[in-house]
Amino acid sequence: MVINMSSIKQLIQELCPDGVSYVELETVCQISKGVQFNKKNMHDVGSYPVINGGINPSGYIEQYNQDKHTITISQGGASAGYVNWIETKFWAGAHCYILKPKENVNNRYLFHFIKSKEYKLQECQYGAGIPALAKSTISTLEIPVPPLPVQREIVRILDNFTEHTAELTAELTARKKQYEYYRDILLKSLKEIKSVKLNSVCEVYDGTHQTPKYTKNGVPFVSVENIDDLYGTTKFISNEDYLKYKIRPRIGDVFMTRITAGIIGRCAVIDRNDDLAYYVSLALLRPNQSVLDSKYLKYYLESRWGRRELAKRILWDATPTKINKDDIGKIYISIPPIDVQKRLVLVLDNFETLCNDLTSGLPAEIKARQKQYEYYRDKLLNFPEYTKQR
């Protein structure tokens, strides 16, 4: 995707050749928090999403308190600092900030700017237990405010990237849903097999309960947001802090999300012996390999049947939603003989590979588009500052 920068350069030369003013965000933007909604009244489907402290909706309800096209920032939890653009009407919960620009700032321009500062917001998390983000951290960010025609042209350029990326992501999501459907059909045949409690065939642990002190390098540190790419994390802790871990991941262990505003029960199998530190929001499952295959455990927990078992013990009223470590071991799981498990894993692996082959170019293209978007975003939002001395 080639971008012609001549139009934006011409606008800048005409309207702000000497630079633009930088002001604190609170002077051009209203920042507020949402209102808590009882989780007992939420559903898996509904008219309006409930946006709280995570990346995904906490649930769905039949009323809303915010209009569509609104910027939110996660206030609490592992995803504190995550910046989102909500396309639909929604209910803003107590654990998210709502940002609404004033007259001299374009709404989408504000979103692209805040999104560019997401990494900085996440670095400013505080709290010994569940991380949080202070309102003052957001309100004191300095934003360049060029004339509105310049803002609108920047938005036009950047939205071209985000719209194309959204189309690719939608196609990838459709392929994944197709895979999940056939996985559940295959595992349904196991419902006649006698079930056992997970803790009878698997040890259950969790990670550190303390917000770590991050370092520039060292031992990779993972949390719920890394479940799909454990080794792609950009957070690290010192080797000294890692030595305090009593239970360290090893090949065959399974990470499962257990504290999140997103989906509880998403899994990743450890397939290498690299050191990996992990947060309390992840459970570490160590199956007895003689009776329970690691990949089978992952597939089962992520299936409709595994999610149903987990749902019985999830604390839906907790913020963020969670399942206690000890309750994970109390769920029931159907366990066929180990050779049957391995055959099922082989079939599911092959099917997953087939789905990935059908979409093989999509993840790479999405990643490339995202990097291109970030490059142009940072370039377009970098203005010389106007001073009276000029």
Side-chain angles (χ1 to χ4, degrees):
M1 186 174 181
V2 178
I3 297 296
N4 186 342
M5 301 286 284
S6 59
S7 60
I8 187 68
K9 288 179 179 178
Q10 183 177 351
L11 276 174
I12 291 173
Q13 186 60 36
E14 291 177 1
L15 301 175
C16 48
D18 297 324
V20 303
S21 297
Y22 280 69
V23 299
E24 289 191 345
L25 198 63
E26 63 182 358
T27 66
V28 295
C29 176
Q30 178 186 341
I31 305 169
S32 60
K33 287 180 69 174
V35 179
Q36 186 64 33
F37 194 92
N38 194 326
K39 289 190 177 182
K40 290 182 179 179
N41 298 323
M42 295 184 203
H43 305 283
D44 291 337
V45 295
S47 300
Y48 306 108
V50 178
I51 305 299
N52 241 315
I55 294 175
N56 299 306
S58 300
Y60 293 84
I61 58 176
E62 296 307 312
Q63 54 185 300
Y64 65 91
N65 62 5
Q66 297 295 326
D67 284 325
K68 58 185 179 180
H69 302 157
T70 297
I71 304 163
T72 65
I73 302 177
S74 172
Q75 180 270 333
S79 301
Y82 175 76
V83 179
N84 205 356
W85 172 267
I86 312 299
E87 286 281 357
T88 63
K89 295 177 180 178
F90 68 101
W91 185 276
H95 296 276
C96 80
Y97 293 109
I98 306 112
L99 279 67
K100 295 186 176 179
K102 298 178 182 178
E103 292 181 359
N104 60 334
V105 175
N106 179 284
N107 197 21
R108 282 292 288 180
Y109 175 82
L110 176 63
F111 167 74
H112 289 301
F113 169 78
I114 294 293
K115 194 68 175 176
S116 74
K117 301 300 180 184
E118 184 176 75
Y119 73 96
K120 183 176 181 180
L121 296 176
Q122 292 178 334
E123 286 178 349
C124 292
Q125 295 176 0
Y126 70 91
I130 297 175
L133 178 69
K135 181 180 177 181
S136 58
T137 302
I138 304 170
S139 61
T140 55
L141 284 175
E142 288 200 335
I143 178 173
V145 187
L148 282 170
V150 175
Q151 294 181 38
R152 287 192 287 266
E153 181 61 14
I154 290 173
V155 167
R156 185 191 67 79
I157 293 171
L158 295 180
D159 278 356
N160 281 336
F161 287 108
T162 57
E163 288 169 8
H164 186 60
T165 301
E167 292 172 1
L168 295 173
T169 302
E171 184 176 347
L172 185 61
T173 299
R175 295 295 187 185
K176 288 181 177 179
K177 286 187 178 296
Q178 185 183 33
Y179 157 73
E180 290 168 1
Y181 171 79
Y182 286 107
R183 177 201 60 201
D184 291 350
I185 290 294
L186 183 60
L187 291 176
K188 185 178 181 180
S189 62
L190 304 178
K191 296 306 292 177
E192 303 303 320
I193 296 175
K194 182 180 178 180
S195 298
V196 300
K197 284 188 176 181
L198 183 61
N199 60 14
S200 68
V201 291
C202 182
E203 300 171 66
V204 182
Y205 308 99
D206 61 5
T208 177
H209 289 231
Q210 301 296 315
T211 302
K213 181 179 180 181
Y214 296 121
T215 56
K216 291 184 178 180
N217 48 51
V219 177
F221 182 86
V222 295
S223 187
V224 290
E225 65 263 29
N226 308 113
I227 196 67
D228 293 326
D229 184 16
L230 294 176
Y231 303 100
T233 180
T234 57
K235 295 180 179 178
F236 302 88
I237 65 170
S238 67
N239 287 286
E240 290 76 17
D241 284 346
Y242 185 61
L243 290 175
K244 299 174 185 177
Y245 278 67
K246 294 181 180 179
I247 306 299
R248 301 173 191 172
R250 65 190 188 196
I251 289 178
D253 288 346
V254 178
F255 275 133
M256 186 193 86
T257 58
R258 77 171 193 89
I259 302 178
T260 173
I263 300 174
I264 288 177
R266 292 176 65 183
C267 298
V269 178
I270 304 297
D271 59 5
R272 58 181 89 168
N273 277 325
D274 297 354
D275 289 339
L276 203 58
Y278 55 107
Y279 193 50
V280 64
S281 55
L282 291 176
L284 186 142
L285 312 179
R286 183 164 288 169
N288 179 344
Q289 296 288 340
S290 64
V291 294
L292 180 58
D293 183 87
S294 300
K295 277 199 169 183
Y296 172 81
L297 175 60
K298 165 185 159 62
Y299 285 133
Y300 191 91
L301 289 175
E302 291 184 338
S303 73
R304 180 190 309 175
W305 325 112
R307 293 199 307 272
R308 284 182 180 176
E309 275 296 309
L310 289 168
K312 296 175 184 178
R313 298 187 178 275
I314 289 174
L315 301 177
W316 296 104
D317 288 335
T319 303
T321 309
K322 69 177 181 178
I323 181 171
N324 287 330
K325 175 179 71 69
D326 292 340
D327 285 338
I328 296 171
K330 296 176 184 177
I331 70 168
Y332 282 88
I333 177 173
S334 300
I335 302 184
I338 192 71
D339 61 324
V340 175
Q341 292 178 46
K342 290 185 181 297
R343 288 200 298 271
L344 286 168
V345 166
L346 182 61
V347 172
L348 289 170
D349 278 351
N350 287 336
F351 189 72
E352 187 176 43
T353 299
L354 176 62
C355 286
N356 287 337
D357 285 345
L358 290 171
T359 59
S360 59
L362 288 177
E365 187 173 354
I366 290 170
K367 188 174 182 179
R369 294 296 186 192
Q370 182 64 24
K371 285 186 177 296
Q372 195 176 24
Y373 159 74
E374 291 171 358
Y375 170 80
Y376 280 102
R377 180 194 64 196
D378 295 345
K379 189 178 182 68
L380 289 167
L381 294 175
N382 184 21
F383 292 91
E385 185 173 4
Y386 174 81
T387 59
K388 291 183 180 180
Q389 288 79 10
R390 294 188 178 188

